[in-house]
């Protein structure tokens, strides 16, 4: 066998060997109230070192079954969630709420998809699943997170798409607990959903609330995001479980970092747009020292700034048209 054929054969079998060698992931749920638990991912971005475990998900145990919020970043992590839930309760899994369709929050869905389980998500998630971006993101994750994300990884659609046509939250009851699923779409992503567990006063906030690290802003509408943060406290949660970082028992105080960061991005990039500076000029002149020591700064800040720069250009053009 010549060298080229040997290399091709090796390239073909390595992913399978890696998958076989990949050990089961063990997750330890953190209890924050009588019925609510969550899994806290590591700080920073998804990597081989953390096996993609850098986001949060959680579950609520009721006498009639379990409600899950988000599914983590890989099928292996979704399966680890199931094993961890079974250590807490034998009650059947009933409902899975997808906080939003970003890779680090829903790739574990295929492990949670079971007979009798309803996966619910915002109707805008359908557009994402049909997009080129979804396919490109999956290809990127397969390259960067193998064997945790591989050719067997699927993008799972919801069984129930929520449209919020009446402008009201989706409310449901299970095992004597009352749940409120709140539409916050268009803030961090087009399909943001929050979930409040009313009796326990616990709010699952997805990526609208970050604890101890900088958020990933991307092309989010930061103006609507800031408004959503203000409205989030209307639910008066005692505990907020963010998409990343530790649960907060002082939501107003912990919200300040995300608010300060979003406002600073808008201020600095907005001023640069008014002065007709290029993005590179704007980024270079901005003093980032107040945020540079927070986790995810190196990976996310430039992308966040660029997305905000484009947003401020768009807002400036819109305000100019309205003024005419």
């Amino acid at each position: 066998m010549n060298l080229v054929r040997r290399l091709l054969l090796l390239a073909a079998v390595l992913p399978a060997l890696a998958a076989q060698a990949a050990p089961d992931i063990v997750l330890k749920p953190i209890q924050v109230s009588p019925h609510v638990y969550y899994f806290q991912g590591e700080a920073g971005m998804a990597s081989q070192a953390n096996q993609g475990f850098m986001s949060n998900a959680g579950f609520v145990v009721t006498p009639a079954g379990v409600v899950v919020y988000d599914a983590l970043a890989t099928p292996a992590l979704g399966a680890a969630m199931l094993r961890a839930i079974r250590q807490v309760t034998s009650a059947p899994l009933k409902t899975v709420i997808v906080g939003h369709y970003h890779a680090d929050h829903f790739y574990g869905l295929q492990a949670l998809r079971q007979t009798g389980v309803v996966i619910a998500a915002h109707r805008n998630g359908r557009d994402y699943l049909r997009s080129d971006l979804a396919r490109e993101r999956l290809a990127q994750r397969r390259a960067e997170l193998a064997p945790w994300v591989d050719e067997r990884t699927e993008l799972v659609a919801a069984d129930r798409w929520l449209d919020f046509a009446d402008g009201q939250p989706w409310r449901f009851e299970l095992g004597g607990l009352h749940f409120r699923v709140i539409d916050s779409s268009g803030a961090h992503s087009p399909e943001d959903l929050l979930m409040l567990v009313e009796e326990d006063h616990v709010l699952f906030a997805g990526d609208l609330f970050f604890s101890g690290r900088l958020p990933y802003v991307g092309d989010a509408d930061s103006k609507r995001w800031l408004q959503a943060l203000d409205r989030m406290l209307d639910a008066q949660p005692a505990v907020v479980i963010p998409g990343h970082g530790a649960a907060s028992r002082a939501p107003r105080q912990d919200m300040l970092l995300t608010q300060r960061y979003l406002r600073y991005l808008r201020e600095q990039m907005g001023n640069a747009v008014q002065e007709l500076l290029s993005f590179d000029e704007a980024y270079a002149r901005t003093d980032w020292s107040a945020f540079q020591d927070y986790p995810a700064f190196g990976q996310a800040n430039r992308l966040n700034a660029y997305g905000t720069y484009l947003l401020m250009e768009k807002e400036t053009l819109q305000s100019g048209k309205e003024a005419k």
Side-chain angles (χ1 to χ4, degrees):
M1 185 182 295
N2 63 38
L3 179 60
V4 173
R5 291 182 63 190
R6 287 178 180 176
L7 290 174
L8 289 174
L9 179 61
L10 185 61
V13 302
L14 273 178
L17 290 175
Q20 292 173 5
D24 284 343
I25 297 171
V26 177
L27 298 180
K28 296 183 179 180
I30 301 168
Q31 187 170 10
V32 297
S33 70
H35 304 94
V36 180
Y37 301 75
Y38 82 108
F39 305 102
Q40 182 182 338
E42 298 180 15
M45 308 299 278
S47 67
Q48 283 287 328
N50 60 33
Q51 302 172 356
F53 184 39
M54 37 64 71
S55 57
N56 296 348
F59 62 99
V60 185
V61 179
T62 85
V66 177
V67 176
V68 171
Y69 181 91
D70 273 348
L72 299 178
T74 72
L77 285 167
M81 285 179 61
L82 273 181
R83 290 193 296 271
I85 291 170
R86 287 292 159 258
Q87 294 297 312
V88 174
T89 179
S90 60
L93 185 61
K94 289 292 188 179
T95 304
V96 179
I97 304 297
V98 182
H100 63 295
Y101 271 94
H102 282 182
D104 53 333
H105 294 275
F106 86 96
Y107 276 23
L109 278 178
Q110 71 187 75
L112 304 179
R113 183 177 51 189
Q114 303 174 0
T115 301
V117 176
V118 175
I119 299 173
H122 197 288
R123 63 179 299 178
N124 292 343
R126 294 180 297 187
D127 295 331
Y128 174 77
L129 292 178
R130 291 192 292 255
S131 70
D132 291 338
L133 177 61
R135 290 186 288 274
E136 292 167 0
R137 186 64 161 158
L138 178 56
Q140 178 193 32
R141 286 292 170 116
R142 283 170 171 165
E144 295 178 354
L145 284 181
W148 316 107
V149 178
D150 59 21
E151 294 304 317
R152 296 168 296 179
T153 303
E154 305 171 29
L155 303 184
V156 177
D159 302 304
R160 176 171 181 173
W161 295 107
L162 306 175
D163 61 16
F164 300 97
D166 60 1
Q168 298 299 311
W170 175 40
R171 299 173 183 268
F172 66 95
E173 180 270 340
L174 183 68
L177 293 185
H178 295 82
F179 298 81
R180 195 187 315 170
V181 179
I182 303 165
D183 177 16
S184 293
S185 56
H188 172 73
S189 77
E191 60 277 345
D192 294 311
L193 294 179
L194 313 180
M195 185 177 79
L196 179 69
V197 186
E198 295 185 355
E199 282 77 7
D200 285 30
H201 303 285
V202 175
L203 179 71
F204 287 92
D207 279 0
L208 290 176
F209 186 101
F210 284 71
S211 178
R213 56 156 278 181
L214 295 185
Y216 170 70
V217 180
D219 58 357
D221 186 333
S222 52
K223 179 185 287 188
R224 295 185 68 175
W225 191 338
L226 285 164
Q227 293 168 348
L229 287 172
D230 290 335
R231 292 196 305 270
M232 194 181 295
L233 294 178
D234 292 344
Q236 298 183 329
V239 180
V240 174
I241 298 174
H244 301 265
S248 171
R249 295 186 182 276
R252 187 177 299 277
Q253 178 180 335
D254 288 344
M255 197 181 292
L256 288 177
L257 172 60
T258 300
Q259 289 177 319
R260 284 195 302 113
Y261 182 62
L262 293 178
R263 287 170 179 152
Y264 190 71
L265 286 173
R266 290 181 59 84
E267 174 190 321
Q268 296 301 313
M269 296 302 107
N271 289 341
V273 168
Q274 293 295 328
E275 297 171 31
L276 302 180
L277 296 180
S278 70
F279 170 70
D280 287 337
E281 291 172 324
Y283 192 84
R285 81 166 189 180
T286 301
D287 179 6
W288 300 109
S289 59
F291 305 102
Q292 65 186 12
D293 292 330
Y294 284 100
F297 175 86
Q299 300 96 327
N301 189 65
R302 188 176 181 90
L303 289 173
N304 291 345
Y306 183 63
T308 305
Y309 179 88
L310 296 179
L311 176 67
M312 301 312 295
E313 282 188 325
K314 180 180 178 180
E315 289 187 9
T316 299
L317 287 173
Q318 287 177 339
S319 62
K321 290 179 181 178
E322 293 170 358
K324 292 181 180 181

